[in-house]
Amino acid sequence: AYQAARESDPNDVNLILNEANLYFKQGDKEKFKSLMAEAIAIAPDNADLYYNVGVINSEQGNIDEARKNYKKVLELNPGYTNAYLNLSTTYVNEGNSFIDEMNSLGNSRADIARYEELKTKKDGLFEMGAQTLEDALKTNPDNQGILTQLKNIYGAMGDNENFMRVKKLLGE
């Protein structure tokens, strides 16, 4: 039915979105992404389209594509809270992916060197996640979701000064 409707009005972004959502609900994420790309070609300034593509890419583990889309959302709409939160989460999740290997290492020189290498990568990713949320606070200074996630990142990093600063902003 959507395809028939689109034949009469191929540039109707809402029809494309409705068809894309149907495929999404059926589990066909590739068709969803294809239709979203079509919609973006028609409405390149629609931040929601990029956001949805970012979410699907995140779910599929395409982190670089997800980040690219979330950054495009923020370029189009600097106050888009969920894009900040999801972008930050991509960095934190990537950082967390190093923890199991870090915990499995022993005390040999090689293990200690590998641990430090992984810790540096993890901390750098956590910093990027925190910086993303600090940027979000510029347009959303009282957003509880942003503040809570930021507090959690600083807590995981052992950055007590920033942890306490954000905790105070949360009224805790």
Side-chain angles (χ1 to χ4, degrees):
Y2 285 120
Q3 289 171 349
R6 287 187 54 212
E7 283 178 21
S8 64
D9 193 357
N11 291 330
D12 185 330
V13 174
N14 287 324
L15 284 175
I16 297 170
L17 289 177
N18 287 333
E19 184 180 357
N21 285 328
L22 180 65
Y23 281 104
F24 179 79
K25 288 176 182 174
Q26 292 175 338
D28 189 344
K29 294 179 181 175
E30 289 307 314
K31 184 66 175 175
F32 174 84
K33 282 173 35 178
S34 168
L35 288 166
M36 294 303 286
E38 248 184 86
I40 287 171
I42 295 167
D45 293 334
N46 186 326
D48 292 330
L49 298 176
Y50 291 97
Y51 178 78
N52 288 327
V53 173
V55 169
I56 291 299
N57 277 298
S58 287
E59 287 179 4
Q60 294 181 327
N62 303 325
I63 301 306
D64 290 337
E65 274 301 304
R67 287 179 184 151
K68 182 179 91 175
N69 281 282
Y70 293 139
K71 288 175 182 177
K72 181 65 177 179
V73 170
L74 297 171
E75 196 179 292
L76 294 169
N77 180 355
Y80 206 119
T81 302
N82 285 337
Y84 280 113
L85 289 165
N86 287 7
L87 179 59
S88 173
T89 298
T90 68
Y91 294 120
V92 171
N93 287 346
E94 186 178 352
N96 283 334
S97 73
F98 296 116
I99 291 174
D100 284 342
E101 184 180 350
M102 290 168 67
N103 290 338
S104 72
L105 295 169
N107 293 322
S108 72
R109 245 185 230 189
D111 282 352
I112 291 169
R114 177 70 178 152
Y115 180 91
E116 290 303 320
E117 176 188 338
L118 292 172
K119 184 179 182 321
T120 299
K121 286 181 181 178
K122 177 185 74 75
D123 290 349
L125 288 161
F126 278 27
E127 282 287 340
M128 291 171 75
Q131 186 55 57
T132 298
L133 296 178
E134 291 286 359
D135 291 344
L137 288 177
K138 293 173 186 168
T139 55
N140 302 287
D142 301 320
N143 185 286
Q144 298 295 296
I146 292 170
L147 290 167
T148 299
Q149 189 165 322
L150 188 57
K151 179 187 79 166
N152 293 339
I153 293 171
Y154 285 135
M157 292 172 57
D159 183 341
N160 197 50
E161 182 180 331
N162 279 314
F163 177 82
M164 295 307 289
R165 174 181 61 85
V166 176
K167 196 171 173 174
K168 185 176 178 183
L169 290 172
L170 279 164
E172 295 177 0

